[in-house]
Amino acid sequence: MHTLYWFTRDLRLHDNAALLAASKSDMVLCVYVVDPRWFQPGPLQSKAMGDHRWRFLWQSLMALERTLRPLGQRLHIAFGEPESVIPALVQAHGIQRVIRSRQPGTDEARQWQMIKERKPDTLFQQFETLSLFTEGSLPMELGDLPDTFSQFRKLVEKTGERCSERLRIRTLTALPPPPGFPEDNRGSCPPIAEPQHPLRFTGGEEAGLQQLRDFLFVTHAVDTYKETRNALDTWGASSKFSPWLANGSLSVREVADTITEYERSETKNESTYWLWFELLWREYFYWYALKHGVNLFRRDGVQRKRRPATFYGHRFKAWCQGNTEYPLVNAAMNQLRETGYMSNRARQLVASCFVNELELDWRYGAAWFEEQLIDYDVASNYGNWQYLAGVGADPRGLRQFNLEKQAKQYDPLDTFVDRWGGHADQPVGLHTVDAADWPIS
C-alpha cells in the first residue's frame, strides 16, 4: 500500500501513533503543507501566523527533515492550500491511503472533509497524537465532557492513572521508502525574520526532549514549580514545554510519563503534581474544542452569554503595541511582540485588561495571540480566552484582575516593566472615543 503521511502538529518520531500506522505500508510519502492563508490578515485584524511562530515552526520542520533522512526518507514541504496540494499528491503518486493526526480546529476539520470528498476512492485515517488520552480511553463520552475543568480533573484522577503506558509509542527507527521524491516549492514560503532579542527556544524534536530532561533531571526546577511558575520573566521558573507541545515536536504523553519517572526516582511533591495538573488543563481544552467546534470561536462562547462588544480601534492598537495606561500590561505585550512568548501569569493579566479595562471583544485578543505566540495552540488559546471572558468553561463567569495589585505582587521593583519598556511615553486614554470606533454585531 502507498501511504501519504500528512505531518501537522506531530513533528516527531517518538510517541507518534499516526506515523506508526503509516509505517506499516510498502511506501510512505511524508508531507507538510504550508498554507499561504496563514500569512494573510484575517477578519479579526491579525494573521494566523506571525514571524516568531513561523521561525520556530521552520526550525522544527528542518529538524524533522534531518531525523527522517537517516531512515531513507525526506520531508516534502509544499506551499499551497491543503485542499489542493494533498489531492494532487495522491493523484501523482498513486496514493491509496492518507494518514494524519486528529486536529481540534474547525478549519482543519473542514479541510480534511474537503480532501476526502475530492478523493472518494482513497482511504483516510486519523489518529490521536496530540492528547494524553484517546477518545476511547476517556473516562466519559466526548458528548458528556464536563462543563468545568474541576469536574473533568476529578473524573480523570478517579481512575488512578495519569497516563496509560500502553498508549505511548516508542521512537520509530525505520520507515518504508517514499514513492519517489516530488519537487517541492518550499522556496515560495515566506522568509524567516531575524529576532530582535536572542531566544532560548529552538524548534525541533531533539530540542523539546532536551528541555524536558533539563527541567526535570538536570536542573530539578520541577521541585519548586508550584512556587515559581507565576514568575514573569525567569527561564527556569516554568517548564517552557509549550512551544514544542504546540507543534508536536514533543509528545504530551512523553511529558506525563517522564514526570512519573521523576517522581519514582527523584522526588514526588506538590510541585511535580502541579506540572501534571497543568497538562490536564491542556488536555481538557483539547477535548473541549472537539466537543464544541465552531462555538469555540463565537463571541458569546459555548455558554451563549451575550456580552457588550464594541471595537475601539485605538484601544486595540495601544494594547498590541504596549501603549496603555498599565505599565505591567505594556511590558508583557512588548515582550510578546518582540519574542513571541510571555508567561502564563502575564497572559491572564493582559487578557483581563483587554476584556475589562479596554472593554474589547475577546476574539480580537485571541487572534492577536494566535499571530504572536510561538506556542499557539488553538484549543488552549481560545479556551482560555473564553474562560477569562466569562463565556466559556469558568463557572464563576467574567474574571477581572486588579492590575495594580498584580504589579505589586509580581513585579514590586519594576524589574520586568523596566526591562521591557512598560512605561509608555504617551499612553492612549481608555475613555477616548472617536469616529474610527464601531460596534460589533
Side-chain angles (χ1 to χ4, degrees), residues 260-388:
T260 299
E261 177 189 345
Y262 184 86
E263 290 178 330
R264 288 171 180 163
S265 64
E266 303 293 333
T267 189
K268 181 178 181 179
N269 62 19
E270 197 172 13
S271 286
T272 60
Y273 167 78
W274 210 261
L275 187 55
W276 155 253
F277 179 87
E278 297 290 357
L279 292 183
L280 267 193
W281 260 113
R282 181 184 180 278
E283 184 76 3
Y284 177 66
F285 279 133
Y286 173 81
W287 297 108
Y288 182 88
L290 284 170
K291 175 183 178 180
H292 294 290
V294 295
N295 288 327
L296 186 69
F297 309 99
R298 288 179 172 158
R299 183 192 64 190
D300 300 335
V302 302
Q303 293 189 24
R304 304 294 179 90
K305 284 186 177 179
R306 288 198 62 82
R307 286 182 48 80
T310 300
F311 188 83
Y312 301 108
H314 65 291
R315 295 184 189 179
F316 177 67
K317 183 178 179 181
W319 181 79
C320 293
Q321 296 183 348
N323 194 35
T324 73
E325 299 173 17
Y326 304 97
L328 186 61
V329 170
N330 295 342
M333 294 304 295
N334 290 341
Q335 181 190 37
L336 172 63
R337 198 177 58 256
E338 295 173 21
T339 70
Y341 187 81
M342 69 165 70
S343 69
N344 179 63
R345 172 59 53 175
R347 296 180 201 203
Q348 294 181 62
L349 299 182
V350 302
S352 175
C353 176
F354 190 90
V355 171
N356 296 295
E357 276 74 24
L358 301 182
E359 300 175 334
L360 293 170
D361 183 337
W362 66 269
R363 296 174 301 167
Y364 287 77
W368 180 251
F369 270 24
E370 179 176 354
E371 176 178 330
Q372 297 295 321
L373 285 170
I374 62 171
D375 62 359
Y376 167 74
D377 173 291
V378 60
S380 294
N381 185 60
Y382 282 86
N384 271 303
W385 271 92
Q386 281 203 4
Y387 183 92
L388 190 136

Side-chain angles (χ1 to χ4, degrees), residues 152-276:
F152 173 76
R153 178 181 60 83
K154 290 175 182 177
L155 287 172
V156 169
E157 294 185 338
K158 189 177 181 180
T159 67
E161 290 189 19
R162 290 192 176 179
C163 181
S164 176
E165 178 70 23
R166 63 184 171 81
L167 290 176
R168 190 168 60 149
I169 309 298
R170 297 300 177 180
T171 301
L172 288 172
T173 56
L175 284 172
F181 291 112
E183 290 294 325
D184 62 31
N185 59 345
R186 67 178 67 187
S188 300
C189 293
I192 307 298
E194 288 298 319
Q196 184 174 347
H197 292 272
L199 302 180
R200 298 184 67 173
F201 293 105
T202 301
E205 180 177 17
E206 182 179 355
L209 290 170
Q210 186 62 53
Q211 177 62 20
L212 173 62
R213 303 299 296 184
D214 285 351
F215 186 72
L216 275 75
F217 289 98
V218 176
T219 67
H220 296 271
V222 66
D223 292 354
T224 56
Y225 173 71
K226 191 171 187 292
E227 291 76 37
T228 64
R229 64 192 176 89
N230 282 316
L232 297 175
D233 202 19
T234 304
W235 177 262
S238 61
S239 74
K240 304 297 190 297
F241 300 156
S242 56
W244 293 281
L245 287 170
N247 70 20
S249 296
L250 180 63
S251 157
V252 66
R253 294 172 192 160
E254 188 75 22
V255 175
D257 286 341
T258 304
I259 295 172
T260 299
E261 177 189 345
Y262 184 86
E263 290 178 330
R264 288 171 180 163
S265 64
E266 303 293 333
T267 189
K268 181 178 181 179
N269 62 19
E270 197 172 13
S271 286
T272 60
Y273 167 78
W274 210 261
L275 187 55
W276 155 253

